[in-house]
Amino acid sequence: MKKMKLGRWRPVAIAGVAFAVWVALWGELGAPADGDSSFGEAVATFGVAGPEKAPAPKTNAGPNPNPAPNVAPPVPEKPPAPKPMSNRVVEYHIGVALDADNHALHGTQTVTWRNPGKEKVQELYFHLYPNAFESDKTTFMRESGGKLREDKRTANSYGGMTISSIETTEGLDLTHRLAFEQPDDGNKADKTLAKLRLPKAVPPNGTVTLKMSFTVRLPEVFARMGYKDDFVMAGQWFPKIAVYEPAGTRGRTAEGWNAHQYHGNSEYYADFGIYNVKIKVPTDYVVAATGFPPKPAVVDKKSGTKTYHFYADDVHDFAWSASPHFVYAEEPYSAPNVPGVKIKLYLDPTHLELKERYLYAAKKSLQHFSEWYGPYPYSTLSIVVPPEGAGGAGGMEYPTLVTAWAADSADVGYELERVVVHEIGHQYWYGMVASNEFEEAWLDEGFTSYAEDKLMEAEYGLTPSTTLEASYMTNPASLTRFAWNFDSHDHYADNVYIRGKLVLLAMEKEIGEAKMKRVLRAYFDRWKFRHPSTGDFQKTAEDVTKRSWAPFFDQFVYGDQMADYAVERIERAKSDAGTYAYRVTVSSRGGKDGPVSVRFLYEDGQTIREEWPGKEDSVVFALPPHAAKLKHVVVDPEHGVVLEHKRINNFMKTDVDDKLETRWTMGVAKLLEALFGTVVW
């Protein structure tokens, strides 16, 4: 999610062809009637014909004095199925109809879950995210205050989800077994997480298939999902199974569910799988969605509806958006690490003249990110531009689909490009690496913010003001703090987005940009589709750089430190007549992120530079006698220490008494804090 403004065939393409052939043979696709989860296997294996049988060779009419030995003809080989990119724990077959007049979704789904652990599992957990908007008493509403970024709820911003039925494939009704859970805060008014007790435990690598019916009342959008007039953004809209983590996943010692409520700060975490979705909307609506359409939409003139069909595999979510006003444009795009992608743009009419800017930003994002981190493996990338007033739906990422800022104005600056770049960056760290955004959000938002800055500088020449951004860190916190445990949304955003990005930049400063690219490339290659932890990233960095990062991570990642180097005092030392000698004390008041340079300027213009490793609490520089007086001392004059957040104490003049100087420095600092709050640092 974006923080508030400051052509070769590939396996996936083959799977798409197989799917299209499968549909053509079997007609309208529905969930397997017997509950057998064979759909994924069909997609993986069907549709690529074997080689044609060669014609029999011609022979002479007469006998052959030297007959050739009998050789059996080769058996036609079955082409290997494309290897799944992920472990495909879940498989969803969903049908949903939009009731545009009543702002509601009516859906059915058949979902199959495979037990990835080594123990039997007796229950399933479902995320029912729309229930966050049920009342003012839900955990999301309490923590967010009914606000996301600058978008606030309206009188119509209430909604929810009703599960009307849950059945096994044998027809056993399990609806009464569903119970709401509140493991994070005990808030009984919160119904965003539910546990379903199964009649029979699921063995290791075994599966369970359920049929579910549900209805969603959409809120007027202010926080990601909902409607605005006749525009719909359906994100986190269906009952979604939580993540069951095997032992060893993200460092856990015992397997179990990772299931949390929907919080004001937190985003999402889900397992990879297959999504086969039909979406019925009024005839004049255009639908954007995760994945690709295996066949054209079907119009039913009698009912005045149109049904879209989308398929996606190796993704961990499915989102869609619909509007009768979308202006659709598409362009094929390929690059050395992007064999072939169809970029699909769903514009609000207000931004029709900005089409090329959206497409250019998307192309350059795919080009650079695939070069820096790894190939983009999907066949589509969709960009939705919400209409004016639907800002809450903007600046959000979903697998193969992103939303830009709302089209509130046709006069926009580089924020247009920045948000598109940011959300496409999420396709890597949120989408493919699939970090746990409940518990380690920085692994997505911090990494994406870092990638965003790199691309905006490389492609548009826009350099971030990291010195100013570091000054925002008045209340640094551990980057591994659970999202809802931050003090506020600003506290969450400052740390997860900005401090997380600065930590990566500090690593880059230490090892160089080329090696940092190697670290991130190795991390992506090693952990894509696997749900890594902060410890997994640290281990990757150590493997690539051949050094320990424990002191750095302990201070700045697991800990809550920022760097704070200060000139503590300047003392006149004894020297020969006509010369001046000084002792200068420099300290580290925060985390140690050296080396740090110190500049000494004399009144005659001469400058002395020293470099301090910055690993101790303090150091005393004994300056040799000099003919002129020392004018001032500056620590880190080039602002090379990325994590330095209190630069006011980096400077000291010598023409003030030491006691007065200390008092002056602290006095000014306190005054500025009182006047400007967080701005001072």
Side-chain angles (χ1 to χ4, degrees):
M1 178 179 177
K2 185 71 175 76
K3 186 176 181 290
M4 188 56 195
K5 300 176 184 178
L6 289 168
R8 293 193 302 269
W9 283 107
R10 300 172 296 146
V12 67
I14 295 172
V17 173
F19 178 82
V21 174
W22 192 87
V23 171
L25 286 175
W26 295 101
E28 289 293 316
L29 181 65
D34 60 356
D36 181 19
S37 181
S38 60
F39 176 74
E41 297 175 6
V43 171
T45 61
F46 196 88
V48 182
E52 295 183 2
K53 183 180 294 185
K58 295 181 179 180
T59 59
N60 295 325
N64 188 343
N66 298 302
N70 283 332
V71 178
V75 177
E77 294 183 3
K78 183 180 181 180
K83 183 180 179 181
M85 295 182 290
S86 71
N87 58 358
R88 297 187 181 179
V89 172
V90 291
E91 182 175 323
Y92 292 89
H93 301 268
I94 309 175
V96 61
L98 169 66
D99 180 349
D101 293 335
N102 296 302
H103 309 298
L105 306 177
H106 302 282
T108 60
Q109 70 177 26
T110 299
V111 55
T112 297
W113 177 78
R114 178 177 58 81
N115 180 359
K118 296 181 178 180
E119 299 178 4
K120 294 181 179 179
V121 175
Q122 189 68 59
E123 69 281 326
L124 299 180
Y125 281 86
F126 285 88
H127 291 291
L128 311 180
Y129 289 113
N131 284 338
F133 308 102
E134 191 174 52
S135 74
D136 293 334
K137 297 180 180 180
T138 69
T139 295
F140 178 88
M141 286 293 205
R142 284 180 174 181
E143 293 178 355
S144 69
K147 178 181 177 181
L148 180 68
R149 297 177 301 219
E150 298 304 313
D151 295 284
K152 300 178 181 179
R153 71 181 175 204
T154 69
N156 297 318
S157 293
Y158 295 93
M161 172 182 281
T162 300
I163 307 294
S164 53
S165 68
I166 307 175
E167 293 182 353
T168 66
T169 53
E170 293 79 20
L172 180 62
D173 185 6
L174 304 181
T175 312
H176 60 287
R177 290 172 172 257
L178 190 70
F180 299 111
E181 298 275 321
Q182 301 86 21
D184 304 329
D185 64 0
N187 177 13
K188 296 301 181 182
D190 189 79
K191 300 176 183 178
T192 57
L193 181 69
K195 180 171 71 174
L196 179 68
R197 299 181 303 280
L198 299 172
K200 182 180 178 181
V202 185
N205 206 42
T207 63
V208 59
T209 299
L210 301 172
K211 297 180 179 181
M212 308 176 70
S213 297
F214 61 94
T215 299
V216 175
R217 291 173 291 109
L218 295 169
E220 188 167 38
V221 66
F222 74 95
R224 306 183 182 96
M225 74 165 294
Y227 73 91
K228 178 63 179 178
D229 299 326
D230 49 10
F231 165 82
V232 171
M233 183 66 233
Q236 313 302 331
W237 56 280
F238 59 94
K240 185 160 64 170
I241 296 180
V243 177
Y244 188 85
E245 296 180 323
T249 304
R250 300 177 52 253
R252 70 182 301 158
T253 57
E255 64 184 74
W257 289 101
N258 187 287
H260 295 290
Q261 299 159 243
Y262 193 9
H263 291 271
N265 289 331
S266 70
E267 293 190 27
Y268 315 105
Y269 182 41
D271 255 324
F272 288 95
I274 293 172
Y275 287 85
N276 171 43
V277 183
K278 286 184 177 181
I279 305 166
K280 182 182 290 186
V281 296
T283 306
D284 57 340
Y285 274 63
V286 175
V287 173
T290 294
F292 65 89
K295 57 183 180 179
V298 177
V299 176
D300 184 341
K301 295 182 179 180
K302 185 176 180 179
S303 64
T305 61
K306 181 190 295 184
T307 300
Y308 289 81
H309 188 178
F310 292 90
Y311 172 83
D313 53 25
D314 299 311
V315 297
H316 53 74
D317 195 9
F318 186 98
W320 58 279
S321 183
S323 170
H325 307 295
F326 281 147
V327 179
Y328 178 71
E330 68 174 52
E331 282 194 16
Y333 178 71
S334 62
N337 295 290
V338 186
V341 174
K342 182 182 289 186
I343 301 175
K344 307 168 76 174
L345 181 59
Y346 299 82
L347 279 166
D348 181 81
T350 305
H351 278 194
L352 181 58
E353 300 302 319
L354 303 175
K355 180 185 76 170
E356 295 304 323
R357 289 177 59 182
Y358 283 106
L359 291 172
Y360 185 85
K363 293 173 185 177
K364 291 303 175 182
S365 296
L366 290 172
Q367 174 192 330
H368 288 293
F369 294 153
S370 64
E371 175 188 348
W372 297 339
Y373 310 129
Y376 180 81
Y378 304 109
S379 61
T380 62
L381 174 64
S382 296
I383 304 168
V384 172
V385 182
E388 181 179 3
M396 192 60 200
E397 71 280 0
Y398 306 94
T400 78
L401 184 149
V402 303
T403 60
W405 290 133
D408 292 333
S409 170
D411 183 17
V412 292
Y414 279 113
E415 281 301 312
L416 182 154
E417 286 81 6
R418 186 174 291 279
V419 71
V420 172
V421 167
H422 184 92
E423 304 309 334
I424 294 176
H426 275 303
Q427 298 300 309
Y428 283 80
W429 311 116
Y430 148 84
M432 286 180 273
V433 173
S435 306
N436 185 336
E437 294 186 284
F438 295 136
E439 299 181 1
E440 297 177 282
W442 89 281
L443 289 176
D444 174 36
E445 297 295 358
F447 280 58
T448 300
S449 297
Y450 171 91
E452 169 200 328
D453 280 357
K454 288 294 181 183
L455 192 142
M456 293 302 293
E457 184 172 5
E459 198 59 44
Y460 298 96
L462 300 177
T463 304
S465 178
T466 55
T467 300
L468 178 62
E469 290 175 331
S471 73
Y472 297 153
M473 298 300 104
T474 59
N475 188 13
S478 169
L479 295 177
T480 57
R481 181 182 291 194
F482 289 2
W484 58 93
N485 287 331
F486 287 90
D487 297 345
S488 65
H489 182 73
D490 286 344
H491 189 221
Y492 164 83
D494 287 348
N495 280 277
V496 167
Y497 289 77
I498 299 177
R499 202 168 84 83
K501 174 186 71 175
L502 294 176
V503 162
L504 297 177
L505 282 171
M507 294 177 67
E508 179 190 301
K509 282 277 187 178
E510 199 162 330
I511 64 177
E513 187 173 10
K515 187 169 286 188
M516 190 64 185
K517 283 184 178 179
R518 286 175 51 203
V519 168
L520 293 173
R521 179 70 181 237
Y523 176 59
F524 177 79
D525 284 343
R526 186 179 295 184
W527 289 103
K528 59 189 176 186
F529 305 107
R530 294 181 58 198
H531 305 309
S533 67
T534 297
D536 296 321
F537 172 61
Q538 179 182 344
K539 178 64 165 54
T540 302
E542 291 175 339
D543 290 346
V544 173
T545 61
K546 310 299 182 185
R547 50 159 282 187
S548 172
W549 283 93
F552 181 92
F553 273 67
D554 288 346
Q555 294 178 93
F556 302 114
V557 178
Y558 304 115
D560 60 0
Q561 295 292 298
M562 291 288 287
D564 181 15
Y565 293 104
V567 183
E568 296 290 353
R569 63 181 60 87
I570 302 173
E571 300 172 298
R572 179 84 179 270
K574 291 183 179 180
S575 61
D576 296 335
T579 62
Y580 302 88
Y582 296 90
R583 289 170 56 85
V584 179
T585 302
V586 175
S587 72
S588 172
R589 298 179 180 179
K592 295 171 176 58
D593 186 31
V596 59
S597 63
V598 184
R599 184 179 68 193
F600 307 91
L601 178 64
Y602 289 89
E603 291 184 347
D604 62 0
Q606 184 172 341
T607 298
I608 296 177
R609 287 181 176 270
E610 297 283 351
E611 186 172 278
W612 178 35
K615 304 303 181 184
E616 306 84 19
D617 290 337
S618 65
V619 64
V620 176
F621 293 95
L623 302 181
H626 191 77
K629 291 182 179 181
L630 184 65
K631 186 175 182 180
H632 66 242
V633 180
V634 184
V635 178
D636 191 28
E638 283 82 27
H639 296 181
V641 180
V642 176
L643 293 170
E644 170 66 73
H645 73 139
K646 292 186 177 180
R647 294 195 175 275
I648 195 170
N649 56 25
N650 288 24
F651 173 85
M652 185 176 283
K653 297 178 66 176
T654 56
D655 58 356
V656 180
D657 177 78
D658 182 61
K659 293 181 180 179
L660 293 176
E661 181 135 25
T662 301
R663 188 177 303 126
W664 177 83
T665 301
M666 294 304 296
V668 169
K670 294 299 182 184
L671 176 61
L672 290 175
E673 282 181 349
L675 290 175
F676 301 109
T678 61
V679 178
V680 58
W681 302 122

